Amino acid sequence: MNGRLLIANRGEIAVRIVRAAQELGLTSIVVHSEADAESLAVQLADEAVCIGPAQAAKSYLNIDAILAAARDCRADAVHPGYGFLSENAEFARRVEAAGIVFVGPDAGLIERMGNKSEARATAMAAGVPVVPGSPGPVVGIDEATSVAGDVGYPLLIKAAAGGGGRGIRTARNESELREQLPLAQAEARAAFGDDSVYLERYIERARHIEVQILADGERAVHLFERECSLQRRRQKVFEEAPSPALSEKARQQLCESAVALAEHVGYRAAGTLEYLYDDDSGEFFFIEMNTRIQVEHPVTEMITGIDLVREMIRIALGQGLSLQQGDIQRRGWAVEMRLNAEDPDKGFFPSPGRVEKLTWPTGPGIRIDSLLYEGYRMPPYYDSMVAKLIVWDETREAALKRAARALDEFCLEGFTTTAGLHRRLLDEPAIQNGDFHTGSLEVWLEDQSQALSQSESQLRSQAQSQLRSQPQSTSVEEAS
């Protein structure tokens, strides 16, 4: 394959796309900010273009600067990665208007599926079950209380244009709904420039399960599901594939619904359909669609053996969907642990710094997607995720044991990461048994925090007792 692919992103996903482009025979071109001039993606890419200062608004979110770079380097296609402009319809539209291929769905579909309220209506039209709630955005408190009368409490108030867990509030009764609705609308307006909000039933013990699809505008296939229930502040922390909760019958129904929705909208690209799964009732409900590659895509690649980034580039460049559903087989179990430059024992305080020493785990079934190398100093301007440790084995039990071994081998000196948190999680019986939901990690973290505080209090008390038991100096000579 010939051509020039511009990568409009940074970090590990930029590295990931550079590698896929080079394997396809494409020339890889990375855009970067001044702060990322020494990044691994810049070092590995065939070409690199600086597009602005460190602030994302002046570089990675600057459409004019990225398009100028694309034109100057004669790019044939632009891959947006995830985050930044990856689900920005205006960006996709302007890339296409410049005569350059956007590696993703067209702008109209990004707009349609990016608006959660509209995506919900689209899913209902395709016959895909959605969480009971308002059929669209609610205008005022009278309409909201009317919906609550039909659906019941508790309710989630969600920004129609929201994403990444932002713009979500909970109302457990009418009083809270009256209080939270205007706050949610104001928050949505400030964060997304759109104050539209809608209501959904809050399922307290739900699992977050998502289905990976590939589609070429006419036909879609699924690559099974991922379980992403372990979340902190609605941000995914630990993912695995397949889900330990699903029966084969439920898995088939879930995956078929995702394919039906993708084909209903004529989707073309890699995409992910997210669902809530009620462990008690066995029901699943569509909640939203992500029109881009996901952070957690490697666990799907590990159980199917299919390179998702390569496939989405091929589809974007007009080669069509090469896979039939029967070609896609599931094998073994994979888990992904996000390693962030944060100190989980200090309230996840940011911990940027320079990589003084780095030893990655190795061995069968282990994959590292990272932006780090020894000597690299992390710029403090961007997301704190520095690596993904992905582990595969024949069974879930074996994969978790291999993950623990991999974390024990991992060594990074220079700053703190969340690796220790993952190591403790792997020792938890609930994790080992697959017995958790979307609220489990928050509860576990609170218990860990309280235990740590009690331990520190006991140590301080012991130290004070020891000091009080020491004989007191009675002369200058003794004191000195």
Side-chain angles (χ1 to χ4, degrees):
M1 185 180 290
N2 297 316
R4 297 169 64 80
L5 178 68
L6 184 131
I7 299 148
N9 215 297
R10 66 175 303 278
E12 67 86 20
I13 192 61
V15 172
R16 173 76 180 84
I17 299 166
V18 165
R19 288 171 170 155
Q22 292 175 340
E23 289 172 10
L24 283 167
L26 300 171
T27 300
S28 58
I29 307 154
V30 164
V31 298
H32 65 90
S33 70
E34 292 172 356
D36 277 336
E38 305 297 324
S39 71
L40 185 59
V42 169
Q43 295 182 23
L44 294 178
D46 298 303
E47 299 174 21
V49 183
C50 183
I51 53 170
Q55 297 95 323
K58 297 179 180 178
S59 50
Y60 298 108
L61 292 172
N62 187 337
I63 295 176
D64 289 335
I66 294 171
L67 284 177
R71 284 191 290 265
D72 290 346
C73 71
R74 295 171 287 106
D76 299 299
V78 171
H79 196 309
Y82 56 70
F84 292 126
L85 296 170
S86 62
E87 292 181 290
N88 185 302
E90 181 191 356
F91 180 54
R93 188 172 287 116
R94 290 186 59 185
V95 168
E96 295 284 356
I100 301 170
V101 172
F102 180 76
V103 183
D106 63 61
L109 261 175
I110 293 174
E111 281 178 334
R112 183 177 180 185
M113 302 311 288
N115 183 296
K116 292 177 174 47
S117 177
E118 193 168 342
R120 176 183 168 87
T122 301
M124 293 168 69
V128 176
V130 299
V131 182
S134 59
V138 292
V139 176
I141 192 64
D142 290 341
E143 185 180 358
T145 54
S146 175
V147 171
D150 294 332
V151 176
Y153 293 97
L155 286 169
L156 287 179
I157 308 169
K158 303 177 74 171
R166 300 175 67 194
I168 300 177
R169 287 173 173 261
T170 306
R172 295 185 176 277
N173 49 52
E174 183 174 331
S175 175
E176 288 187 5
L177 181 59
R178 289 182 178 277
E179 178 185 354
Q180 296 293 330
L181 184 71
L183 295 176
Q185 290 172 318
E187 187 175 288
R189 189 184 310 114
F192 309 111
D194 179 354
D195 65 359
S196 301
V197 298
Y198 64 102
L199 305 179
E200 278 183 359
R201 178 192 297 165
Y202 178 38
I203 302 171
E204 300 207 40
R205 289 181 54 81
R207 288 176 179 266
H208 182 123
I209 297 176
E210 59 191 30
V211 179
Q212 176 71 56
I213 59 106
L214 285 169
D216 62 6
E218 297 181 359
R219 192 168 58 84
V221 295
H222 70 80
L223 293 93
F224 302 100
E225 84 285 357
R226 299 185 285 258
E227 166 103 33
C228 308
S229 297
L230 292 173
Q231 302 177 7
R232 174 178 175 267
R233 295 183 177 177
R234 304 187 191 280
Q235 296 287 327
K236 299 164 188 169
V237 172
F238 179 104
E239 302 101 344
E240 61 184 295
S243 166
L246 295 186
S247 65
E248 283 303 321
K249 180 180 179 182
R251 173 171 294 116
Q252 183 176 353
Q253 291 174 340
L254 186 74
C255 293
E256 287 179 352
S257 81
V259 169
L261 181 50
E263 291 185 344
H264 176 78
V265 298
Y267 193 78
R268 181 178 60 85
T272 300
L273 294 97
E274 299 193 341
Y275 296 82
L276 291 181
Y277 180 76
D278 189 329
D279 250 346
D280 296 327
S281 67
E283 296 174 283
F284 61 83
F285 306 103
F286 170 81
I287 49 175
E288 66 181 75
M289 183 173 191
N290 296 128
T291 55
R292 54 175 163 74
I293 195 73
Q294 295 277 100
V295 177
E296 57 271 29
H297 76 274
V299 290
T300 297
E301 294 181 327
M302 295 291 268
I303 64 164
T304 62
I306 294 169
D307 185 327
L308 286 167
V309 175
R310 194 162 62 189
E311 287 301 316
M312 74 184 296
I313 294 172
R314 282 175 170 163
I315 291 170
L317 294 181
Q319 294 199 353
L321 184 58
S322 62
L323 297 163
Q324 302 291 328
Q325 190 61 60
D327 299 332
I328 305 167
Q329 303 297 318
R330 193 182 79 238
R331 177 173 174 267
W333 216 284
V335 300
E336 175 181 292
M337 294 157 285
R338 300 189 188 194
L339 304 184
N340 293 350
E342 298 171 348
D343 189 342
D345 292 335
K346 295 181 179 176
F348 291 87
F349 196 77
S351 172
R354 182 177 183 275
V355 182
E356 303 293 346
K357 181 180 178 183
L358 180 62
T359 304
W360 292 119
T362 57
I366 292 177
R367 166 177 167 179
I368 309 293
D369 283 19
S370 177
L371 56 91
L372 299 180
Y373 60 87
E374 284 191 0
Y376 176 67
R377 179 174 289 282
M378 286 180 54
Y381 310 102
Y382 311 111
D383 187 89
S384 65
M385 191 179 76
V386 296
K388 302 182 302 197
L389 171 57
I390 308 107
V391 177
W392 176 93
D393 211 326
E394 292 285 351
T395 65
R396 186 172 189 271
E397 181 182 9
L400 295 181
K401 288 181 178 176
R402 180 170 280 174
R405 191 268 294 170
L407 285 167
D408 290 341
E409 283 187 19
F410 171 61
C411 173
L412 192 158
E413 295 180 6
F415 54 87
T416 303
T417 75
T418 52
L421 168 77
H422 286 292
R423 187 64 185 86
R424 295 197 295 275
L425 265 178
L426 290 171
D427 285 337
E428 284 297 315
I431 303 301
Q432 294 170 353
N433 296 331
D435 181 17
F436 46 77
H437 54 82
T438 53
S440 297
L441 184 59
E442 295 279 10
V443 174
W444 183 80
L445 288 170
E446 181 61 28
D447 291 344
Q448 292 273 305
S449 177
Q450 290 180 3
L452 182 63
S453 297
Q454 289 173 359
S455 175
E456 290 175 345
S457 176
Q458 289 173 352
L459 286 174
R460 281 196 298 272
S461 178
Q462 290 171 0
Q464 289 167 352
S465 296
Q466 288 173 351
L467 283 174
R468 284 194 293 270
S469 67
Q470 295 293 322
Q472 298 298 308
S473 298
T474 56
S475 68
V476 173
E477 287 77 10
E478 285 178 286
S480 65

